[in-house]
Amino acid sequence: MRIAQIAPLAESVPPRFYGGTERVVAWLVDELVELGHEVTLFASGDSRTRAKLHPVWPQALRLGRQRTDPNAASALLLEAISKQAKDFDLIHAHIDWLHLPLQRRLAVPFLTTMHGRLDLPGLPNVIREFPEARFVSISNNQRLPLQDANWCGTIQHGLPTNLFQPSHGLLKVRERRLTSN
């Protein structure tokens, strides 16, 4: 399957420092490539990926030395997706609501994973305007403020199975503190 992944431009994929969404996108893209899919990642140019990288902006916006208008970078991101949409079987966005007007105009299935808060004012209006938009939540509780959204499923953020190793060192430090008091 030919899949486009659209990442936020605030951080690189994976992020150098903070960037939960970008880190999850990095893991997802790597796993999709491992499964044999053709994946193109639309992200900042300082991103590192096993997929094909389409650098939309030279560097993550938050770490750029010159102040950048995020709307200008977002406009280029949406244009890049528009120009290449026909090359994909699925476009998977991680940029909240920004791309929703495009999904109506492009003849490619879109899916949006919502990574953040959904209890903000105005969001029910967006859901009413784009009832066909398909969303994935990261928890069932996340859906509660927008129950009328077109939810396709819940997929909790996954971690690579080899990311953490069991360690009892911290446990021993805690036990010492408890017994010495």
Side-chain angles (χ1 to χ4, degrees):
M1 182 174 250
R2 300 169 304 154
I3 304 170
Q5 292 285 339
I6 308 173
L9 297 175
E11 302 290 340
S12 62
V13 176
R16 282 201 205 142
F17 305 108
Y18 174 79
T21 298
E22 294 82 2
R23 192 168 314 284
V24 170
V25 169
W27 291 331
L28 174 61
V29 166
D30 285 351
E31 187 62 25
L32 289 169
V33 169
E34 182 71 26
L35 292 170
H37 296 287
E38 285 182 48
V39 181
T40 301
L41 175 63
F42 291 79
S44 63
D46 53 346
S47 296
R48 298 175 323 278
T49 181
R50 294 178 57 204
K52 176 183 174 190
L53 177 63
H54 184 99
V56 176
W57 199 259
Q59 185 177 17
L61 297 178
R62 190 175 74 83
L63 298 177
R65 287 197 166 165
Q66 292 180 337
R67 183 165 270 185
T68 300
D69 180 352
N71 291 324
S74 296
L76 292 177
L77 173 64
L78 295 177
E79 183 62 14
I81 293 296
S82 295
K83 284 181 176 178
Q84 294 187 31
K86 66 183 180 329
D87 298 334
F88 301 107
D89 301 311
L90 174 69
I91 298 174
H92 187 174
H94 303 269
I95 56 172
D96 296 328
W97 317 99
L98 192 58
H99 63 287
L100 294 182
L102 280 185
Q103 75 174 7
R104 283 188 171 157
R105 292 158 177 83
L106 301 175
V108 178
F110 268 80
L111 177 67
T112 303
T113 296
M114 301 306 295
H115 294 273
R117 292 180 56 183
L118 301 180
D119 61 345
L120 303 173
L123 297 185
N125 298 336
V126 176
I127 293 302
R128 280 191 294 279
E129 180 63 33
F130 298 98
E132 74 284 358
R134 292 180 291 250
F135 297 100
V136 169
S137 58
I138 60 171
S139 74
N140 289 335
N141 196 53
Q142 182 193 32
R143 296 178 179 202
L144 294 177
L146 296 177
Q147 294 180 27
D148 293 335
N150 185 7
W151 295 109
C152 296
T154 294
I155 302 176
Q156 296 173 344
H157 284 165
L159 303 173
T161 56
N162 62 352
L163 186 62
F164 297 107
Q165 298 298 320
S167 171
H168 300 290
L170 184 58
L171 182 59
K172 289 178 184 176
V173 170
R174 286 184 183 161
E175 286 174 356
R176 267 189 257 136
R177 285 183 188 158
L178 290 174
T179 56
S180 64
N181 289 336

